[in-house]
Coordinates of all heavy atoms in Angstrom, one line a residue:
M1 N 145.7 -109.5 99.2 CA 146.7 -108.9 100.0 C 146.9 -109.7 101.3 O 148.0 -109.9 101.8 CB 146.4 -107.4 100.3 CG 145.2 -107.1 101.2 SD 145.0 -105.4 101.3 CE 143.6 -105.1 100.3
T2 N 145.9 -110.1 102.0 CA 146.0 -110.9 103.2 C 146.6 -112.3 102.9 O 147.3 -112.9 103.7 CB 144.6 -111.1 103.9 OG1 144.1 -109.8 104.1 CG2 144.8 -111.8 105.2
R3 N 146.4 -112.7 101.7 CA 146.9 -114.1 101.2 C 148.4 -114.1 101.4 O 148.9 -115.1 101.8 CB 146.4 -114.4 99.8 CG 146.8 -115.7 99.4 CD 146.1 -116.0 98.1 NE 146.5 -117.3 97.5 CZ 146.1 -118.5 97.8 NH1 145.3 -118.6 98.8 NH2 146.6 -119.5 97.2
R4 N 149.1 -113.1 101.0 CA 150.6 -113.1 101.0 C 151.1 -113.3 102.5 O 151.9 -114.0 102.8 CB 151.2 -111.9 100.4 CG 151.2 -111.9 98.9 CD 152.0 -110.8 98.4 NE 151.9 -110.8 96.9 CZ 152.3 -109.8 96.2 NH1 152.9 -108.8 96.8 NH2 152.3 -109.9 94.9
I5 N 150.5 -112.5 103.3 CA 150.9 -112.6 104.8 C 150.5 -113.9 105.3 O 151.3 -114.5 106.0 CB 150.2 -111.5 105.6 CG1 150.8 -110.1 105.2 CG2 150.3 -111.7 107.1 CD1 150.2 -109.0 106.0
T6 N 149.3 -114.4 104.9 CA 148.9 -115.7 105.4 C 149.9 -116.8 104.9 O 150.3 -117.7 105.7 CB 147.5 -116.0 104.9 OG1 146.6 -115.0 105.4 CG2 147.0 -117.4 105.5
L7 N 150.2 -116.8 103.6 CA 151.2 -117.7 103.1 C 152.5 -117.6 103.7 O 153.1 -118.7 104.1 CB 151.3 -117.6 101.6 CG 150.0 -118.0 100.8 CD1 150.2 -117.7 99.3 CD2 149.7 -119.5 101.0
A8 N 153.0 -116.4 103.9 CA 154.3 -116.2 104.5 C 154.3 -116.7 106.0 O 155.2 -117.4 106.5 CB 154.7 -114.8 104.5
L9 N 153.2 -116.4 106.7 CA 153.0 -116.8 108.1 C 152.9 -118.3 108.1 O 153.5 -119.0 109.0 CB 151.8 -116.1 108.7 CG 151.6 -116.4 110.2 CD1 152.9 -116.0 111.0 CD2 150.4 -115.6 110.7
A10 N 152.2 -118.9 107.2 CA 152.0 -120.4 107.2 C 153.4 -121.0 106.9 O 153.7 -122.0 107.6 CB 151.1 -120.8 106.1
A11 N 154.2 -120.5 106.0 CA 155.5 -121.0 105.8 C 156.4 -120.9 107.0 O 157.1 -121.8 107.4 CB 156.2 -120.3 104.6
L12 N 156.3 -119.8 107.7 CA 157.1 -119.6 108.9 C 156.7 -120.5 110.0 O 157.5 -121.2 110.7 CB 156.9 -118.1 109.4 CG 157.8 -117.7 110.6 CD1 159.3 -117.8 110.2 CD2 157.5 -116.3 111.0
M13 N 155.4 -120.7 110.1 CA 154.9 -121.6 111.2 C 155.2 -123.1 110.8 O 155.5 -123.9 111.7 CB 153.3 -121.5 111.3 CG 152.9 -120.1 111.8 SD 153.6 -119.7 113.4 CE 152.6 -120.7 114.4
A14 N 155.2 -123.4 109.5 CA 155.6 -124.8 109.1 C 157.0 -125.0 109.4 O 157.4 -126.2 109.8 CB 155.3 -125.0 107.7
A15 N 157.9 -124.0 109.3 CA 159.3 -124.2 109.6 C 159.6 -124.2 111.1 O 160.6 -124.7 111.5 CB 160.1 -123.1 108.9
A16 N 158.8 -123.6 111.9 CA 159.0 -123.5 113.3 C 159.3 -124.8 114.0 O 160.2 -124.9 114.8 CB 157.9 -122.7 114.0
P17 N 158.5 -125.9 113.7 CA 158.8 -127.2 114.4 C 160.1 -127.7 114.0 O 160.8 -128.3 114.8 CB 157.7 -128.1 114.0 CG 156.6 -127.2 113.5 CD 157.2 -125.9 113.0
V18 N 160.5 -127.5 112.7 CA 161.8 -128.0 112.3 C 162.9 -127.3 113.0 O 163.9 -127.9 113.5 CB 162.0 -127.8 110.7 CG1 163.4 -128.1 110.3 CG2 160.9 -128.6 110.0
V19 N 162.9 -126.0 113.1 CA 163.9 -125.2 113.9 C 163.8 -125.6 115.3 O 164.9 -125.8 115.9 CB 163.6 -123.7 113.7 CG1 164.5 -122.9 114.6 CG2 163.8 -123.3 112.3
A20 N 162.7 -125.7 115.9 CA 162.6 -126.0 117.3 C 163.1 -127.4 117.6 O 163.8 -127.6 118.7 CB 161.1 -126.0 117.8
T21 N 162.9 -128.4 116.7 CA 163.5 -129.7 117.0 C 164.9 -129.8 116.6 O 165.7 -130.6 117.2 CB 162.7 -130.8 116.3 OG1 162.6 -130.5 114.9 CG2 161.3 -130.9 116.8
A22 N 165.4 -129.0 115.6 CA 166.8 -129.1 115.2 C 167.7 -128.5 116.2 O 168.8 -129.0 116.4 CB 166.9 -128.4 113.8
L23 N 167.3 -127.4 116.8 CA 168.3 -126.8 117.8 C 168.5 -127.7 119.0 O 169.7 -127.9 119.3 CB 167.7 -125.4 118.2 CG 167.9 -124.3 117.2 CD1 167.2 -123.1 117.6 CD2 169.3 -124.1 116.8
P24 N 167.5 -128.2 119.7 CA 167.9 -129.1 120.8 C 168.7 -130.3 120.3 O 169.6 -130.7 121.0 CB 166.5 -129.5 121.3 CG 165.6 -128.5 120.9 CD 166.1 -128.0 119.6
A25 N 168.4 -130.9 119.1 CA 169.1 -132.0 118.6 C 170.6 -131.6 118.4 O 171.5 -132.3 118.7 CB 168.5 -132.5 117.4
A26 N 170.8 -130.4 117.8 CA 172.1 -130.0 117.6 C 172.9 -129.7 118.9 O 174.0 -130.1 119.0 CB 172.1 -128.7 116.7
A27 N 172.2 -129.1 119.8 CA 172.8 -128.9 121.1 C 173.1 -130.2 121.8 O 174.2 -130.4 122.4 CB 171.8 -128.1 122.0
D28 N 172.2 -131.2 121.8 CA 172.4 -132.5 122.4 C 173.6 -133.2 121.8 O 174.4 -133.8 122.4 CB 171.2 -133.4 122.3 CG 170.1 -132.9 123.2 OD1 170.4 -132.1 124.1 OD2 168.9 -133.3 123.1
S29 N 173.7 -133.1 120.4 CA 174.8 -133.9 119.7 C 176.1 -133.2 120.0 O 177.1 -133.8 120.0 CB 174.5 -134.0 118.2 OG 174.5 -132.7 117.6
A30 N 176.1 -131.9 120.1 CA 177.4 -131.1 120.3 C 177.7 -131.0 121.8 O 178.9 -131.0 122.1 CB 177.3 -129.8 119.7
C31 N 176.7 -131.0 122.6 CA 176.9 -130.8 124.0 C 176.6 -132.1 124.8 O 175.4 -132.5 124.8 CB 176.1 -129.7 124.6 SG 176.3 -128.1 123.8
T32 N 177.6 -132.8 125.2 CA 177.4 -134.1 125.9 C 177.5 -133.9 127.4 O 178.7 -133.6 127.9 CB 178.4 -135.2 125.4 OG1 178.2 -135.3 124.0 CG2 178.1 -136.5 126.0
R33 N 176.5 -134.1 128.1 CA 176.5 -134.0 129.6 C 177.3 -135.2 130.2 O 177.0 -136.3 129.9 CB 175.1 -133.9 130.2 CG 175.1 -133.7 131.7 CD 173.7 -133.6 132.2 NE 173.7 -133.4 133.6 CZ 172.9 -132.6 134.2 NH1 171.9 -132.0 133.5 NH2 172.9 -132.4 135.5
P34 N 178.3 -134.9 131.0 CA 179.0 -135.9 131.6 C 178.2 -136.7 132.7 O 177.3 -136.1 133.3 CB 180.2 -135.2 132.3 CG 179.7 -133.9 132.5 CD 178.7 -133.6 131.5
D35 N 178.5 -138.0 132.8 CA 177.9 -138.8 133.9 C 178.4 -138.3 135.2 O 179.6 -138.0 135.4 CB 178.2 -140.2 133.7 CG 177.5 -140.8 132.4 OD1 176.5 -140.3 132.0 OD2 178.1 -141.8 131.9
R36 N 177.5 -138.3 136.2 CA 177.9 -138.0 137.5 C 178.7 -139.1 138.1 O 178.3 -140.3 138.0 CB 176.6 -137.8 138.4 CG 176.9 -137.3 139.8 CD 175.7 -137.2 140.6 NE 176.2 -136.9 141.9 CZ 175.5 -136.6 142.9 NH1 174.3 -136.6 142.9 NH2 176.1 -136.3 144.1
P37 N 179.8 -138.8 138.8 CA 180.7 -139.8 139.3 C 180.0 -140.4 140.6 O 179.3 -139.7 141.3 CB 182.0 -139.1 139.7 CG 181.6 -137.7 139.9 CD 180.4 -137.4 139.0
K38 N 180.3 -141.7 140.8 CA 179.8 -142.4 142.0 C 180.8 -142.1 143.1 O 182.0 -142.3 142.8 CB 179.6 -143.9 141.7 CG 179.0 -144.6 142.9 CD 178.6 -146.0 142.6 CE 177.9 -146.6 143.8 NZ 177.2 -147.8 143.5
L39 N 180.4 -141.6 144.2 CA 181.3 -141.2 145.2 C 181.3 -142.2 146.4 O 180.3 -142.8 146.7 CB 180.9 -139.8 145.8 CG 180.9 -138.7 144.7 CD1 180.5 -137.4 145.4 CD2 182.3 -138.5 144.1
P40 N 182.4 -142.4 147.0 CA 182.5 -143.3 148.1 C 181.8 -142.7 149.3 O 181.5 -141.5 149.4 CB 184.0 -143.4 148.4 CG 184.6 -142.2 147.9 CD 183.7 -141.7 146.7
P41 N 181.4 -143.6 150.3 CA 180.6 -143.1 151.4 C 181.4 -142.1 152.4 O 180.8 -141.4 153.1 CB 180.3 -144.4 152.2 CG 181.3 -145.4 151.7 CD 181.7 -145.0 150.3
G42 N 182.7 -142.2 152.4 CA 183.5 -141.2 153.2 C 183.9 -141.9 154.5 O 185.1 -142.2 154.7
K43 N 183.0 -142.1 155.4 CA 183.4 -142.7 156.7 C 184.1 -144.0 156.6 O 185.0 -144.3 157.4 CB 182.1 -142.8 157.6 CG 181.7 -141.6 158.3 CD 180.6 -141.9 159.2 CE 180.1 -140.7 160.0 NZ 179.1 -140.9 160.9
K44 N 183.6 -144.9 155.7 CA 184.2 -146.2 155.6 C 185.2 -146.3 154.5 O 185.7 -147.4 154.2 CB 183.1 -147.2 155.3 CG 182.0 -147.3 156.4 CD 180.9 -148.2 156.1 CE 179.8 -148.2 157.1 NZ 178.7 -149.1 156.8
S45 N 185.6 -145.2 153.8 CA 186.5 -145.2 152.7 C 187.9 -145.3 153.1 O 188.3 -144.8 154.2 CB 186.2 -144.0 151.8 OG 184.9 -144.0 151.4
K46 N 188.8 -145.9 152.3 CA 190.2 -145.9 152.5 C 190.9 -144.9 151.6 O 190.3 -144.3 150.7 CB 190.7 -147.3 152.1 CG 190.0 -148.5 152.8 CD 190.5 -148.5 154.3 CE 189.9 -149.7 154.9 NZ 189.6 -149.6 156.3
G47 N 192.1 -144.6 151.9 CA 192.9 -143.6 151.2 C 192.9 -143.7 149.7 O 192.6 -142.8 148.9
P48 N 193.2 -144.9 149.2 CA 193.2 -145.1 147.7 C 191.9 -144.9 147.1 O 191.8 -144.4 145.9 CB 193.7 -146.6 147.6 CG 194.5 -146.9 148.8 CD 193.8 -146.1 149.9
E49 N 190.8 -145.3 147.8 CA 189.5 -145.1 147.2 C 189.2 -143.6 147.1 O 188.5 -143.2 146.2 CB 188.5 -145.8 148.1 CG 187.1 -145.9 147.6 CD 186.1 -146.6 148.6 OE1 186.4 -146.9 149.7 OE2 185.0 -146.8 148.1
M50 N 189.6 -142.9 148.2 CA 189.3 -141.4 148.2 C 190.2 -140.7 147.1 O 189.7 -139.8 146.4 CB 189.7 -140.8 149.5 CG 188.7 -141.3 150.6 SD 187.0 -140.8 150.4 CE 187.2 -139.0 150.7
E51 N 191.4 -141.2 146.9 CA 192.2 -140.6 145.8 C 191.6 -140.9 144.4 O 191.6 -140.0 143.6 CB 193.6 -141.2 145.9 CG 194.4 -140.7 147.1 CD 195.7 -141.4 147.3 OE1 196.1 -142.2 146.5 OE2 196.3 -141.2 148.4
A52 N 191.1 -142.1 144.2 CA 190.5 -142.4 142.9 C 189.2 -141.5 142.7 O 189.0 -141.0 141.6 CB 190.1 -143.9 142.9
A53 N 188.5 -141.3 143.8 CA 187.3 -140.5 143.7 C 187.6 -139.1 143.4 O 186.9 -138.4 142.7 CB 186.5 -140.6 145.0
E54 N 188.7 -138.6 144.0 CA 189.2 -137.2 143.8 C 189.5 -137.0 142.3 O 189.1 -136.0 141.7 CB 190.4 -136.9 144.6 CG 190.9 -135.5 144.5 CD 192.2 -135.2 145.3 OE1 192.8 -136.2 145.7 OE2 192.4 -134.0 145.6
K55 N 190.1 -138.0 141.7 CA 190.4 -137.9 140.3 C 189.1 -137.9 139.4 O 189.0 -137.2 138.4 CB 191.3 -139.1 139.8 CG 192.7 -138.9 140.4 CD 193.6 -140.1 140.0 CE 195.0 -140.0 140.6 NZ 195.8 -141.1 140.4
K56 N 188.2 -138.7 139.8 CA 186.9 -138.8 139.1 C 186.2 -137.5 139.2 O 185.6 -137.0 138.2 CB 186.0 -139.9 139.7 CG 186.4 -141.3 139.4 CD 185.5 -142.3 140.0 CE 186.0 -143.7 139.8 NZ 185.1 -144.7 140.4
V57 N 186.2 -136.8 140.4 CA 185.5 -135.5 140.6 C 186.3 -134.5 139.7 O 185.6 -133.6 139.1 CB 185.5 -135.2 142.0 CG1 185.0 -133.7 142.2 CG2 184.5 -136.1 142.8
A58 N 187.6 -134.5 139.7 CA 188.3 -133.5 138.9 C 188.0 -133.7 137.4 O 187.8 -132.7 136.7 CB 189.8 -133.7 139.1
D59 N 187.9 -134.9 136.9 CA 187.6 -135.2 135.6 C 186.2 -134.8 135.2 O 185.9 -134.1 134.2 CB 187.8 -136.7 135.3 CG 187.5 -137.0 133.8 OD1 188.1 -136.4 132.9 OD2 186.6 -137.9 133.6
Y60 N 185.3 -135.0 136.2 CA 183.9 -134.6 136.0 C 183.8 -133.1 135.9 O 183.0 -132.6 135.1 CB 183.0 -135.2 137.2 CG 181.6 -134.6 137.3 CD1 180.6 -135.1 136.5 CD2 181.3 -133.6 138.2 CE1 179.4 -134.6 136.6 CE2 180.1 -133.1 138.3 CZ 179.1 -133.6 137.5 OH 177.8 -133.1 137.6
T61 N 184.5 -132.4 136.8 CA 184.5 -131.0 136.8 C 184.9 -130.4 135.5 O 184.3 -129.5 134.9 CB 185.3 -130.4 138.0 OG1 184.7 -130.9 139.2 CG2 185.3 -128.9 138.0
T62 N 186.0 -130.9 135.0 CA 186.5 -130.5 133.7 C 185.5 -130.7 132.6 O 185.2 -129.8 131.8 CB 187.8 -131.2 133.3 OG1 188.8 -131.0 134.3 CG2 188.4 -130.8 132.0
K63 N 184.9 -131.9 132.5 CA 183.9 -132.2 131.5 C 182.6 -131.4 131.7 O 182.1 -130.9 130.7 CB 183.6 -133.7 131.5 CG 184.7 -134.6 131.0 CD 184.3 -136.0 131.1 CE 185.5 -136.9 130.6 NZ 185.2 -138.3 130.8
M64 N 182.2 -131.1 132.9 CA 181.0 -130.3 133.2 C 181.2 -128.9 132.8 O 180.3 -128.2 132.2 CB 180.6 -130.4 134.7 CG 179.3 -129.7 135.0 SD 177.9 -130.2 134.0 CE 177.3 -131.6 134.9
T65 N 182.4 -128.4 133.0 CA 182.7 -127.0 132.6 C 182.6 -126.8 131.1 O 182.1 -125.9 130.5 CB 184.2 -126.6 133.1 OG1 184.2 -126.6 134.5 CG2 184.5 -125.2 132.6
A66 N 183.2 -127.8 130.4 CA 183.1 -127.8 128.9 C 181.6 -128.0 128.4 O 181.2 -127.3 127.5 CB 183.9 -129.0 128.3
Y67 N 180.9 -128.8 129.1 CA 179.5 -129.0 128.8 C 178.7 -127.7 129.0 O 177.9 -127.2 128.1 CB 178.9 -130.0 129.7 CG 177.4 -130.2 129.6 CD1 176.8 -130.7 128.4 CD2 176.6 -129.9 130.7 CE1 175.4 -130.9 128.4 CE2 175.2 -130.1 130.6 CZ 174.6 -130.6 129.5 OH 173.3 -130.7 129.4
L68 N 178.9 -127.0 130.0 CA 178.2 -125.7 130.3 C 178.6 -124.6 129.3 O 177.8 -123.9 128.8 CB 178.5 -125.2 131.7 CG 177.9 -126.1 132.8 CD1 178.4 -125.7 134.2 CD2 176.4 -126.1 132.8
K69 N 179.9 -124.6 128.9 CA 180.3 -123.7 127.8 C 179.6 -124.0 126.5 O 179.2 -123.1 125.8 CB 181.8 -123.7 127.7 CG 182.6 -123.0 128.8 CD 184.1 -123.1 128.5 CE 184.8 -122.5 129.7 NZ 186.3 -122.6 129.5
C70 N 179.5 -125.3 126.2 CA 178.8 -125.7 125.0 C 177.3 -125.3 125.0 O 176.8 -124.8 124.0 CB 178.9 -127.2 124.9 SG 178.2 -127.9 123.4
L71 N 176.7 -125.4 126.2 CA 175.3 -125.0 126.3 C 175.1 -123.5 126.1 O 174.2 -123.0 125.4 CB 174.7 -125.4 127.6 CG 174.5 -126.9 127.8 CD1 173.9 -127.2 129.2 CD2 173.5 -127.5 126.8
D72 N 176.1 -122.7 126.6 CA 176.1 -121.3 126.4 C 176.2 -120.9 125.0 O 175.4 -120.1 124.5 CB 177.2 -120.6 127.2 CG 177.0 -120.5 128.7 OD1 175.8 -120.7 129.1 OD2 178.0 -120.3 129.4
K73 N 177.0 -121.6 124.2 CA 177.2 -121.4 122.8 C 175.9 -121.7 122.1 O 175.5 -121.0 121.2 CB 178.4 -122.1 122.2 CG 178.6 -121.8 120.7 CD 179.8 -122.5 120.2 CE 180.0 -122.2 118.7 NZ 178.9 -121.9 117.9
A74 N 175.4 -122.9 122.4 CA 174.1 -123.3 121.7 C 173.0 -122.3 122.0 O 172.2 -122.0 121.1 CB 173.7 -124.7 122.3
K75 N 172.9 -121.8 123.2 CA 171.9 -120.8 123.5 C 172.1 -119.5 122.7 O 171.2 -118.9 122.1 CB 171.9 -120.5 125.0 CG 170.9 -119.4 125.4 CD 171.0 -119.1 126.9 CE 170.1 -117.9 127.2 NZ 170.2 -117.5 128.6
T76 N 173.4 -119.1 122.6 CA 173.7 -117.9 121.8 C 173.4 -118.1 120.4 O 172.8 -117.2 119.7 CB 175.2 -117.5 122.0 OG1 175.5 -117.2 123.4 CG2 175.6 -116.3 121.2
D77 N 173.8 -119.2 119.8 CA 173.5 -119.5 118.4 C 171.9 -119.5 118.2 O 171.5 -119.0 117.2 CB 174.0 -120.9 118.0 CG 175.6 -120.9 118.0 OD1 176.2 -119.8 118.1 OD2 176.1 -122.0 117.9
A78 N 171.2 -120.1 119.1 CA 169.7 -120.1 118.9 C 169.1 -118.7 119.0 O 168.2 -118.4 118.2 CB 169.1 -121.0 120.0
M79 N 169.6 -117.9 119.9 CA 169.1 -116.5 120.0 C 169.5 -115.7 118.8 O 168.6 -114.9 118.3 CB 169.7 -115.9 121.3 CG 169.2 -116.5 122.5 SD 170.0 -115.9 124.1 CE 169.7 -114.2 124.0
T80 N 170.7 -115.9 118.2 CA 171.1 -115.3 117.0 C 170.1 -115.7 115.8 O 169.7 -114.8 115.0 CB 172.5 -115.6 116.6 OG1 173.3 -115.1 117.7 CG2 173.0 -114.9 115.3
E81 N 169.9 -117.0 115.7 CA 169.0 -117.4 114.7 C 167.6 -116.9 114.8 O 167.0 -116.4 113.9 CB 168.9 -119.0 114.7 CG 168.0 -119.5 113.6 CD 167.9 -121.0 113.5 OE1 169.0 -121.7 113.9 OE2 166.9 -121.5 113.1
H82 N 167.1 -116.8 116.1 CA 165.8 -116.3 116.3 C 165.7 -114.8 115.9 O 164.8 -114.4 115.2 CB 165.4 -116.4 117.8 CG 164.1 -115.8 118.2 ND1 164.0 -114.7 118.9 CD2 162.8 -116.2 117.8 CE1 162.7 -114.4 119.1 NE2 162.0 -115.3 118.4
K83 N 166.7 -114.0 116.3 CA 166.8 -112.6 115.9 C 166.8 -112.5 114.4 O 166.1 -111.6 113.8 CB 168.1 -112.0 116.5 CG 168.2 -110.5 116.2 CD 169.4 -109.9 116.8 CE 169.6 -108.5 116.4 NZ 170.8 -107.9 116.9
G84 N 167.5 -113.3 113.7 CA 167.6 -113.3 112.2 C 166.2 -113.5 111.6 O 165.8 -112.9 110.6
V85 N 165.5 -114.5 112.2 CA 164.1 -114.8 111.6 C 163.2 -113.6 111.9 O 162.5 -113.2 111.0 CB 163.6 -116.1 112.3 CG1 162.1 -116.2 112.0 CG2 164.3 -117.3 111.9
I86 N 163.3 -113.0 113.0 CA 162.4 -111.8 113.3 C 162.8 -110.7 112.4 O 161.9 -110.0 111.8 CB 162.6 -111.4 114.8 CG1 162.1 -112.5 115.7 CG2 161.9 -110.1 115.1 CD1 160.7 -113.0 115.5
E87 N 164.1 -110.4 112.2 CA 164.5 -109.4 111.2 C 164.0 -109.7 109.8 O 163.5 -108.8 109.1 CB 166.0 -109.2 111.3 CG 166.5 -108.5 112.6 CD 168.0 -108.5 112.7 OE1 168.7 -109.0 111.8 OE2 168.5 -108.0 113.7
E88 N 164.1 -110.9 109.4 CA 163.7 -111.3 108.1 C 162.2 -111.1 108.0 O 161.7 -110.6 107.0 CB 164.1 -112.7 107.8 CG 163.7 -113.1 106.4 CD 164.2 -114.6 106.0 OE1 164.9 -115.1 106.8 OE2 163.7 -115.1 105.0
W89 N 161.4 -111.5 109.0 CA 160.0 -111.3 109.0 C 159.6 -109.9 108.9 O 158.7 -109.5 108.2 CB 159.4 -112.0 110.2 CG 157.9 -111.8 110.4 CD1 157.2 -111.2 111.4 CD2 156.9 -112.2 109.4 NE1 155.9 -111.2 111.1 CE2 155.7 -111.9 110.0 CE3 156.9 -112.9 108.2 CZ2 154.5 -112.1 109.3 CZ3 155.7 -113.2 107.6 CH2 154.5 -112.8 108.1
N90 N 160.3 -109.0 109.7 CA 160.0 -107.6 109.6 C 160.3 -107.1 108.2 O 159.5 -106.2 107.7 CB 160.9 -106.8 110.6 CG 160.3 -107.0 112.0 OD1 159.2 -107.3 112.2 ND2 161.2 -106.9 113.0
G91 N 161.3 -107.6 107.5 CA 161.5 -107.2 106.1 C 160.4 -107.6 105.2 O 160.0 -106.9 104.3
V92 N 159.9 -108.8 105.4 CA 158.7 -109.3 104.7 C 157.5 -108.4 104.9 O 156.8 -108.0 103.9 CB 158.4 -110.8 105.1 CG1 157.0 -111.2 104.5 CG2 159.5 -111.7 104.6
I93 N 157.3 -108.0 106.1 CA 156.1 -107.1 106.4 C 156.3 -105.8 105.7 O 155.4 -105.2 105.1 CB 156.0 -107.0 108.0 CG1 155.5 -108.3 108.6 CG2 155.0 -105.8 108.3 CD1 155.6 -108.2 110.1
D94 N 157.5 -105.2 105.8 CA 157.8 -103.9 105.2 C 157.6 -104.0 103.7 O 157.0 -103.1 103.1 CB 159.2 -103.5 105.5 CG 159.4 -103.1 106.9 OD1 158.4 -102.8 107.6 OD2 160.6 -103.0 107.3
A95 N 158.0 -105.1 103.0 CA 157.9 -105.2 101.6 C 156.4 -105.4 101.3 O 155.9 -104.8 100.3 CB 158.6 -106.5 101.1
Y96 N 155.6 -106.1 102.1 CA 154.2 -106.2 101.9 C 153.5 -104.9 102.0 O 152.6 -104.6 101.1 CB 153.6 -107.2 102.8 CG 152.1 -107.3 102.7 CD1 151.5 -108.0 101.7 CD2 151.3 -106.6 103.7 CE1 150.1 -108.0 101.6 CE2 150.0 -106.7 103.6 CZ 149.4 -107.4 102.5 OH 148.0 -107.4 102.4
K97 N 153.9 -104.1 103.0 CA 153.2 -102.8 103.2 C 153.4 -101.9 102.0 O 152.6 -101.1 101.7 CB 153.7 -102.2 104.5 CG 153.2 -102.8 105.7 CD 153.7 -102.1 106.9 CE 153.2 -102.7 108.2 NZ 153.8 -102.1 109.4
K98 N 154.6 -102.0 101.3 CA 154.9 -101.2 100.2 C 154.1 -101.6 98.9 O 153.8 -100.8 98.0 CB 156.4 -101.2 99.8 CG 157.2 -100.5 100.9 CD 158.7 -100.6 100.6 CE 159.5 -99.9 101.7 NZ 160.9 -100.1 101.5
N99 N 153.7 -102.9 98.9 CA 153.0 -103.4 97.7 C 152.0 -104.5 98.1 O 152.2 -105.6 97.8 CB 154.0 -103.9 96.7 CG 153.4 -104.3 95.4 OD1 152.3 -103.9 95.1 ND2 154.0 -105.2 94.7
P100 N 150.9 -104.1 98.9 CA 150.0 -105.1 99.3 C 149.3 -105.7 98.0 O 148.9 -105.0 97.1 CB 149.0 -104.3 100.2 CG 149.2 -102.9 99.9 CD 150.6 -102.7 99.3
G101 N 149.2 -107.0 98.0 CA 148.6 -107.6 96.8 C 147.3 -108.2 97.1 O 146.6 -108.8 96.5

């Protein structure tokens, strides 16, 4: 009877590193953090240099907003997967309790 739980737990533990490494990899491949723009010093900058920097900051802001939304989705997906594993595990425990072997 303990053997089934041990085997199920061993299988779950063996899968844990795969899940743990797959999620960050998936998040990294789907969510690309934008490079921080190099900003001019300000005091010594000229108008065209400041205008170019303004465009870089606007582009960075747009990309960073998309990146943060992507991270939120990756977090939600990971939490949903975790909840599913816990629910499945609880089902395994319930089935075992009904027929301990």
Side-chain angles (χ1 to χ4, degrees):
M1 73 179 103
T2 306
R3 183 169 172 82
R4 283 190 184 170
I5 289 179
T6 304
L7 291 176
L9 186 56
L12 185 62
M13 295 301 284
V18 174
V19 172
T21 56
L23 284 175
D28 288 345
S29 66
C31 304
T32 303
R33 184 178 181 142
D35 293 331
R36 182 181 176 176
K38 186 167 183 168
L39 303 177
K43 280 185 176 182
K44 298 178 183 180
S45 300
K46 305 286 185 209
E49 187 180 12
M50 292 298 288
E51 290 171 8
E54 182 179 22
K55 289 178 184 175
K56 287 179 185 177
V57 170
D59 182 54
Y60 169 79
T61 299
T62 299
K63 289 177 181 176
M64 184 56 82
T65 299
Y67 172 69
L68 292 170
K69 285 181 184 178
C70 182
L71 290 178
D72 284 342
K73 182 180 180 331
K75 178 182 175 185
T76 299
D77 291 349
M79 290 171 62
T80 299
E81 181 177 330
H82 178 249
K83 182 180 176 187
V85 168
I86 297 303
E87 288 173 357
E88 185 177 348
W89 176 241
N90 286 335
V92 168
I93 291 171
D94 291 343
Y96 172 78
K97 286 180 180 178
K98 290 178 183 174
N99 187 22

